[in-house]
Structures are given as C-alpha cells and as structure tokens.
Amino acid sequence: MATSRIHARNTKQLELIWHAIKDDKSHPTADQLYDRVRKKLPRISLGTVYRNLQKLVADEKLQVLMLGRAQHFDPLVERHQHFICESCDRFFYVLVESQKEIKPAKLPHDGFKVTSHSVAFYGVCKYCSS
Ligand SMILES: [Zn+2]
Ligand SMILES: [Zn+2]
C-alpha cells in the first residue's frame, strides 16, 4: 500500500537524521545537518530535515539552542552548559562542577515561577584564537 511505503520512507529519513546527529557534539544547525544527510539521501529536502528535527525535539531526543536567529540542535539533553565562540558561532560543551541552583535575586514580579535556567559562557575558542 502506498501509505505504508510513505511511512517506511519517513521512518528511514528520521533514522538517518537521528544517526547524523546523535553523537554530534558540535551543535549543528539544520543547514549543516542537511548537507550531511544529503550525501546519503540526495533527494531529501531541507524542509524534511527540518521537520524531522522538530519531531526529535518533540520526542525530547534533541534540544534546541538559539543563537541569534539560528537554531542549533543538541543530542545531549542532560543538563550541561555551553561555551559559545563569538567568532565562529560554534558551541562547545561545558560541564559545570556544581549543580547548585542559581537563584535570581529578584523576579520581575510576584507570582513568577522559575522552572529551569541556563548559563552560557561566551568568548573565543581555541580554533579562532590561534
Ligand atoms: Zn549542548
Ligand atoms: Zn571559534
């Protein structure tokens, strides 16, 4: 049946995209993943890659990090922080020693509830500073 064939193709695309990112620590963008996936599946479109990435995010297999207007995808959903190079826009993993909660000194208004926080370190990576 045509529908099951479409379903099989969609599953294959999703698996290929997942394999392309699951061990990737470079926090690639959809465009970067598209270039990678296209080598194996030349007819795949950027839209398809993007849709599958959103699906993986919805399944909590990936998290999305925004840098400017670009979305970067991160397969490590456990808590970690990032060092972001201001020169090349690359993300690097930073493991913080302390898992202590950071509390804001004052929330903008009573009734706000903090559910999580993230800390990012900005600077110049070793590839850009040499
Ligand atoms: Zn990360
Ligand atoms: Zn850099």
Side-chain angles (χ1 to χ4, degrees):
M1 255 176 40
T3 44
S4 68
R5 214 179 310 142
I6 288 167
H7 181 74
R9 193 187 66 189
N10 288 350
T11 308
K12 194 183 169 220
Q13 289 171 339
L14 184 69
E15 268 171 24
L16 198 73
I17 291 161
W18 173 240
H19 278 274
I21 191 170
K22 72 178 172 69
D23 297 317
D24 188 334
K25 293 190 164 108
S26 72
H27 302 76
T29 61
D31 287 309
Q32 288 167 335
L33 281 162
Y34 171 58
D35 284 341
R36 212 177 295 165
V37 169
R38 211 164 38 155
K39 289 185 185 120
K40 289 188 177 160
L41 222 60
R43 285 161 64 194
I44 201 164
S45 70
L46 177 60
T48 301
V49 171
Y50 195 75
R51 262 195 313 280
N52 280 293
L53 288 170
Q54 300 305 327
K55 193 177 182 313
L56 290 166
V57 171
D59 291 346
E60 295 183 353
K61 286 184 162 176
L62 293 179
Q63 60 167 317
V64 183
L65 304 154
M66 294 299 295
L67 183 63
R69 293 180 62 191
Q71 291 189 335
H72 292 253
F73 294 90
D74 188 349
L76 185 65
V77 289
E78 296 153 42
R79 203 149 117 154
H80 64 281
Q81 316 298 341
H82 297 102
F83 176 95
I84 300 156
C85 176
E86 292 173 312
S87 176
C88 65
D89 282 359
R90 265 193 276 193
F91 282 72
F92 299 86
Y93 283 83
V94 176
L95 294 172
V96 278
E97 280 177 33
S98 157
Q99 292 292 323
K100 243 192 328 188
E101 283 303 310
I102 298 171
K103 288 210 175 85
K106 194 176 187 306
L107 288 168
H109 199 278
D110 288 343
F112 281 63
K113 188 173 177 286
V114 176
T115 52
S116 67
H117 69 266
S118 73
V119 176
F121 303 91
Y122 294 87
V124 182
C125 76
K126 69 171 180 182
Y127 308 104
C128 292
S129 60
S130 61

